[in-house]
């Protein structure tokens, strides 16, 4: 599903110049490229993916600043979530875009590569470092996902979600 979703996204971003099959092919090629990079060593893959995440995070934070959402509505919507009638497809799309439990699976897979010494101090340090690293990764993910939701709400809600008056 993510490959097809990426194909749709590439089609939308290219204004239809790249068809669905081209977007799927581009996604598959980039996946193979990342798998090939992992054979060179995880440090190369971590650096490239970390750089892309940093660029994406910066872009979404800038977008959030450029299309400032209503702070009052943001706080109200966070405390009392609602879904306006007619906006179900947008809600499902945003949920699919931001609910990423694979972050935890990926993080736990990366941790398995570490082999601490079999003593209490090393294991304690490894657990502390893993907790810190996972917490930081999830915090960054939370900030980026919140920015995605706020940009979508500030930019598209007026045109895609009918008002209560209609």
């Amino acid at each position: 599903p993510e490959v097809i979703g990426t194909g749709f996204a590439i089609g939308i971003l290219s204004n239809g110049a790249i068809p669905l099959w081209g977007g799927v092919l581009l996604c598959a090629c980039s996946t193979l490229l990342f798998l090939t990079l992992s054979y060179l060593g995880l440090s190369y893959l971590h650096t490239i993916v970390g750089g892309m995440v940093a660029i994406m995070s910066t872009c979404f934070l800038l977008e959030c600043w450029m299309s400032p959402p209503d702070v009052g509505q943001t706080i109200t919507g966070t405390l009392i979530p609602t879904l306006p009638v007619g906006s179900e497809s947008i809600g499902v799309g945003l949920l699919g875009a931001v609910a990423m439990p694979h972050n935890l699976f990926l993080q736990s897979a990366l941790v398995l590569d570490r082999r601490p010494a079999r003593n209490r101090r090393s294991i304690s340090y490894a657990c502390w470092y893993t907790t810190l690293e996972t917490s930081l990764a999830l915090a960054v993910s939370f900030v980026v996902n919140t920015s995605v939701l706020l940009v979508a709400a500030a930019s598209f809600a007026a045109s895609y979600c009918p008002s209560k008056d209609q």
Side-chain angles (χ1 to χ4, degrees):
E2 290 179 359
V3 174
I4 295 171
T6 302
F8 278 115
I10 290 172
I12 291 169
L13 290 172
S14 69
N15 205 18
I18 300 175
L20 177 62
W21 64 268
V24 169
L25 185 64
L26 190 61
C27 179
C29 288
S30 66
T31 301
L32 290 174
L33 176 68
F34 288 134
L35 288 173
T36 303
L37 283 174
S38 69
Y39 283 107
L40 297 175
L42 286 179
S43 61
Y44 290 109
L45 186 62
H46 288 184
T47 303
I48 290 172
V49 171
M52 290 188 329
V53 168
I55 291 169
M56 179 189 68
S57 302
T58 302
C59 289
F60 271 115
L61 290 173
L62 285 172
E63 290 264 345
C64 194
W65 178 71
M66 291 169 57
S67 62
D70 185 326
V71 176
Q73 285 184 347
T74 300
I75 293 171
T76 302
T78 301
L79 298 175
I80 308 168
T82 60
L83 191 63
V85 176
S87 63
E88 293 84 7
S89 62
I90 293 173
V92 169
L94 286 172
L95 179 65
V98 300
M100 295 181 273
H102 60 269
N103 282 346
L104 288 175
F105 297 120
L106 177 63
Q107 189 66 28
S108 62
L110 293 174
V111 168
L112 288 176
D113 289 341
R114 298 192 187 108
R115 306 272 185 227
R118 295 280 185 172
N119 60 54
R120 183 175 295 274
R121 184 172 181 201
S122 295
I123 292 173
S124 175
Y125 178 74
C127 289
W128 179 84
Y129 185 75
T130 300
T131 302
L132 178 69
E133 187 179 36
T134 303
S135 299
L136 182 63
L138 289 174
V140 169
S141 177
F142 175 77
V143 169
V144 171
N145 289 336
T146 301
S147 297
V148 169
L149 291 173
L150 291 175
V151 167
S155 302
F156 304 118
S159 58
Y160 285 102
C161 298
S163 66
K164 293 181 180 180
D165 300 333
Q166 295 178 344

